[in-house]
Amino acid sequence: MTEYIYGRHPVFEALRARRRVFEKLLLARNTQGDLVRRIESLAASLGVPVERVEHKVLEDLVGRNAVHQGVVLLCGEKKGLSWKDLLGSTRNRRDALVLFVDRVEDPRNLGAIIRTAAFFGVDGVVVSKARSAPLDAQAVKAAAGGLEVAEVIQVNNFTEIVRAFREEGFIIVGLEMDGEQCIWDIDPGPFPVGLVVGGEHEGIRRIVRSLCDYTVQIPGKGPVSSLNVSVATGIALYEVIRRRNRSGTS
């Protein structure tokens, strides 16, 4: 099945990651710039056919409202790990960090979360399929290449998979507005960590929250009561890694 990756940075990162079968690179005739030249050169070095087309051809492929920036890559699906593969590769590592994303419905939020996870080098991102945004072109664009390098695994039995990681020694930390502890006090110790974040409306579901060893909140001082889920996820990942660096478990 052919998938479309569009936008200059997402396409560049996809080509650089080399984790897909690339079919063709389409560039709008008037598209120029240093990054475009690098994309074209990289595609040519990988043996990917490059074709200059009219702007409307790209609109017909990805939609008139899509911000494709004159660059569309046709490729096959990315092959990645299963959740069991991820668990097997992380269960005995004290510095392992897995992100669990429960029912984030906005593809732009999901894409931003994945990009943040890729930036911090998270071992894997496990995403619930039920009532979650699809990993479609919008999410790929928002991830700005993060989907090409991060291990992202969509699962049906999300709750049971969180439980499986917990039973294998992961400390499960839930990020919630009314978390029991302040995030600055987080101390996972010498254990692998699973950070759970919930959707825009209901947060972490009660059944998933019951599996958390503890829940944390991000304190604020301003009049706004909450953060966007992708922003909150970035803060939480940073704090886990910062604490580990201080304790020498990274």
Side-chain angles (χ1 to χ4, degrees), residues 139-156:
V140 172
K141 182 71 168 63
L147 258 166
E148 301 308 311
V149 296
E151 291 293 350
V152 182
I153 305 162
Q154 285 190 298
V155 297
N156 288 312

Side-chain angles (χ1 to χ4, degrees), residues 8-233:
R8 298 182 185 187
H9 286 287
V11 168
F12 180 70
E13 294 297 339
L15 290 169
R16 193 163 66 165
R18 306 184 188 188
R19 297 181 63 182
R20 297 178 184 251
V21 175
F22 304 119
E23 299 175 10
K24 185 184 295 187
L25 173 66
L26 300 180
L27 301 174
R29 294 193 188 280
N30 60 346
T31 299
Q32 304 295 334
D34 180 63
L35 185 54
V36 173
R37 287 190 291 272
R38 293 170 67 191
I39 290 169
E40 194 168 10
S41 175
L42 180 55
S45 71
L46 295 173
V48 181
V50 180
E51 185 177 343
R52 289 278 179 171
V53 298
E54 297 300 327
H55 195 272
K56 186 177 184 305
V57 173
L58 303 185
E59 286 187 347
D60 290 342
L61 284 177
V62 300
R64 180 171 296 179
N65 296 323
V67 185
H68 54 70
Q69 299 175 303
V71 181
V72 176
L73 180 64
L74 284 64
C75 55
E77 295 180 11
K78 189 183 85 169
K79 295 181 180 179
L81 299 176
S82 70
W83 72 266
K84 290 184 179 179
D85 293 331
L86 177 62
L87 178 56
S89 67
T90 56
R91 59 159 60 94
N92 295 319
R93 282 183 35 223
R94 297 193 310 167
D95 65 340
L97 178 56
V98 173
L99 178 63
F100 296 95
V101 183
D102 189 20
R103 297 188 174 185
V104 169
E105 298 178 27
D106 188 324
R108 293 164 297 184
N109 281 337
L110 182 57
I113 287 170
I114 292 169
R115 176 171 174 77
T116 301
F119 175 81
F120 284 117
V122 169
D123 292 288
V125 183
V126 180
V127 180
S128 61
K129 278 189 177 178
R131 289 179 54 190
S132 290
L135 294 175
D136 59 9
Q138 280 193 74
V140 172
K141 182 71 168 63
L147 258 166
E148 301 308 311
V149 296
E151 291 293 350
V152 182
I153 305 162
Q154 285 190 298
V155 297
N156 288 312
N157 49 340
F158 183 83
T159 303
E160 293 308 310
I161 290 169
V162 174
R163 190 192 309 276
F165 275 78
R166 187 171 189 248
E167 290 175 351
E168 289 292 339
F170 273 72
I171 298 298
I172 305 299
V173 180
L175 181 62
E176 283 279 56
M177 284 178 57
D178 61 347
E180 299 158 356
Q181 299 183 39
C182 173
I183 194 168
W184 316 139
D185 299 325
I186 187 173
D187 184 14
F191 302 101
V193 172
L195 176 67
V196 184
V197 299
E200 295 90 344
H201 306 295
E202 61 179 315
I204 301 171
R205 286 174 290 155
R206 182 176 299 179
I207 189 171
V208 178
R209 184 165 177 162
S210 70
L211 297 174
C212 295
D213 293 289
Y214 52 92
T215 58
V216 296
Q217 60 175 280
I218 298 171
K221 292 185 177 180
V224 177
S225 62
S226 64
L227 289 168
N228 172 278
V229 62
S230 64
V231 173
T233 300

